[in-house]
Amino acid sequence: CLLVGDPGTAKSQCLKFVEKVADRAVFTTGRGSTAVGLTASVSKDAVTGDFTLEGGALVVADKGVCLIDEFDKMSDQDRTSIHEAMEQQTISVARGGIVTTLSARCSVIAAANPIGGRYDPSLSFDANVDLTTPILSRFDLLFVVRDEVHTEEDTRLA
């Protein structure tokens, strides 16, 4: 599920709500996430010298939901790293002599802002977001959240 909409339309709050009510949920932000943080990392143990494998957000969220806020702020390379997880629900690792496949059977709910800060209904969905077609095709549901300007009502609420 991808939520795209104007700033201030509670997209992040929706993600936070899901984090609270879901049995298993991992919340992360696109700005602070890397490919390794989302998938898996291999590091060398300082004491033993052995390589160890540590799962990222998508692996930790296995059989749950992974929530990614500010999805549009992620680099293309980092977004590309989650293609396999979103399509096949696995993450393949081949680093440091470790070759394995990790389960990432989770739903991904992401929130993003449109290009230019406001959603333009005269443009197509693709033209409103700075996301590639391959990543968009991996989302089953695409939602637009708009803040329609009603000057009198907005003034009354403020």
Side-chain angles (χ1 to χ4, degrees):
C1 173
L2 176 62
L3 303 171
V4 173
D6 300 333
T9 54
K11 299 180 302 292
S12 299
Q13 294 304 316
C14 288
L15 296 182
K16 284 295 193 179
F17 177 77
V18 172
E19 181 185 27
K20 287 181 183 177
V21 299
D23 289 334
R24 179 181 294 234
V26 177
F27 183 91
T28 187
T29 62
R31 189 180 303 267
S33 298
T34 63
V36 171
L38 289 169
T39 57
S41 66
V42 175
S43 57
K44 193 170 189 174
D45 186 280
V47 177
T48 65
D50 293 336
F51 286 98
T52 59
L53 179 64
E54 186 173 340
L58 292 163
V59 175
V60 173
D62 187 41
K63 294 185 180 178
V65 61
C66 184
L67 306 156
I68 307 173
D69 199 7
E70 298 181 356
F71 193 67
D72 55 308
K73 307 290 189 296
M74 291 175 70
S75 72
D76 285 337
Q77 181 181 0
D78 293 338
R79 276 195 298 260
T80 300
S81 72
I82 66 173
H83 283 198
E84 178 189 359
M86 290 182 73
E87 186 174 299
Q88 299 167 4
Q89 298 198 318
T90 59
I91 293 175
S92 301
V93 178
R95 295 179 206 130
I98 297 174
V99 179
T100 190
T101 300
L102 303 172
S103 292
R105 300 163 294 187
C106 63
S107 297
V108 174
I109 302 176
N113 288 319
I115 297 171
R118 297 210 43 100
Y119 192 88
D120 184 350
S122 68
L123 300 175
S124 68
F125 186 89
D126 294 3
N128 268 290
V129 294
D130 189 21
L131 301 173
T132 62
T133 302
I135 196 71
L136 285 175
S137 71
R138 284 167 172 78
F139 285 101
D140 294 325
L141 301 170
L142 303 172
F143 290 100
V144 175
V145 185
R146 292 186 49 219
D147 178 17
E148 295 183 1
V149 178
H150 300 291
T151 308
E152 290 178 17
E153 182 67 14
D154 292 346
T155 302
R156 186 185 69 76
L157 289 173

